[in-house]
Amino acid sequence: MMQITDLQKEQKITPLLRLGFRPFFLSGAIFSVFAIALWLLMYRGVVSFSPLGGGYWWHIHEMIFAFGGAIIAGFLLTAVQNWTGMRGAQGTSLLVLFILWLAGRVVVLMPNLLGDVLTTLVDLSFLPAVAYVLAKPIIAIKQYRNLFFAPLLLLLTIANLEMHMAIYYPQTFSIVYAGYAGVMLVTFLMSVMAGRVTPMFTANGTKTQKATPAPWLDNICNGSLAIAMFYLVFQPVLGFNATFFGALLIIAGIFQTMRWLRWRPWITLTIPLLWSIHVSIKFICFGLIVLGASYLTAEIPSNHAWHLLTIGGMGGLILAMISRVSLGHTGRPLQPPKSMTLAYLLISIATLVRVFGPWGLPEKTLMFIDISGTCWIAAFAIFAIKYAPMLTAPRADGRPG
């Protein structure tokens, strides 16, 4: 039986700190708007910043480990309550985690405040802290099935550490491979979570029968991504073989597509809260295949193809899921604001423009990056504006959370 804090005690906690999704979904979305806007200005040379590692490092790092890390933390710190029946982080403990994340953003952007080494230590401390808070209740009730998310956060910390090491030891560590390792870790996590919730969401939302589970297919989908993930994490030791990596991604993409088709995405086309999830999963499927092909032929630019995963897959699935989870956990019907349909479309447009624009017309790359970034900014700004009143207010149904 869930050990819910009594309502009187709950009401003493500011609503924004009552459950992990509240501060991290809202702040993650707002930060992504700021980070992309600043990156566009830096890329064009309009503003001059000297963040840790330089502008290119900062853009990759902050979108994966800061934006992605915040959303992942919000998801897991909220989900652990459902898994264990025990309250997730709230109040002071949640505030400490949030301040730790925010401090990382400030010092990474302005490393002169603490110096490079202390800046690195502050940034690296967030994910292990979340892993500890997450693992504590899971271990307490011996629910080891969900414990693997804690080591996954530590793996993400290792990829983050490699990003930082690329600043200090560029002859050993690569910004590119460390960043890609982070992307593949997030893609693996998205694959695991999609396999758990998408069939149920689809069935419930369309009032149809849930797709029959296929554990073997889940194992191949997640296993192939896990191999790619570990291959990139251990790249400084193993080296990198483009043919092996490309073939592996194509195999992963094919099996992801098979699983996605079993979930019948076509039945969700009239329900934005569902088709947004399925479109994002399709970007993951398609992205893995195109990206894999880019490592087998020079005709496909892999630096552009990665954005199928980062914008369409990661950004799209994050936007779709946080807009759904926020409704459910604030006690509201699963009916997003109408403007969210535009936000979902904008993320898809941002993906297609960013990947295929520079690929087809490389001389117009700067224009396509501007258009793509503007679409991202608009999409997450819509979420922040529409959902801020929900995330900063008590649950609509009067329950704790």
Side-chain angles (χ1 to χ4, degrees), residues 286 290 299-301 304-305 308 353-362 365 368:
F286 179 60
V290 173
E299 299 301 316
I300 303 174
H304 298 317
L308 287 166
V353 168
R354 178 61 185 85
V355 174
F356 296 105
W359 183 358
L361 295 170
T365 294
F368 290 125

Side-chain angles (χ1 to χ4, degrees), residues 129-162:
V130 174
Y132 172 77
V133 173
L134 180 71
K136 200 172 178 181
I138 294 175
I139 293 173
I141 68 166
K142 300 180 180 179
Q143 194 190 63
Y144 300 122
R145 174 176 178 264
N146 291 312
L147 186 59
F148 94 101
F149 286 106
L152 191 63
L153 289 174
L154 298 181
L155 268 176
L156 196 57
T157 303
I158 292 174
N160 190 9
L161 174 62
E162 291 180 355

Side-chain angles (χ1 to χ4, degrees), residues 11 48 57 70 103 122 178 181 233 239 254 265 274 283 294 304 348 351 398:
Q11 288 173 341
S48 178
W57 185 97
V122 170
V233 168
I254 290 170
L274 291 178
F283 272 122
S294 76
H304 298 317
S348 292
T351 308

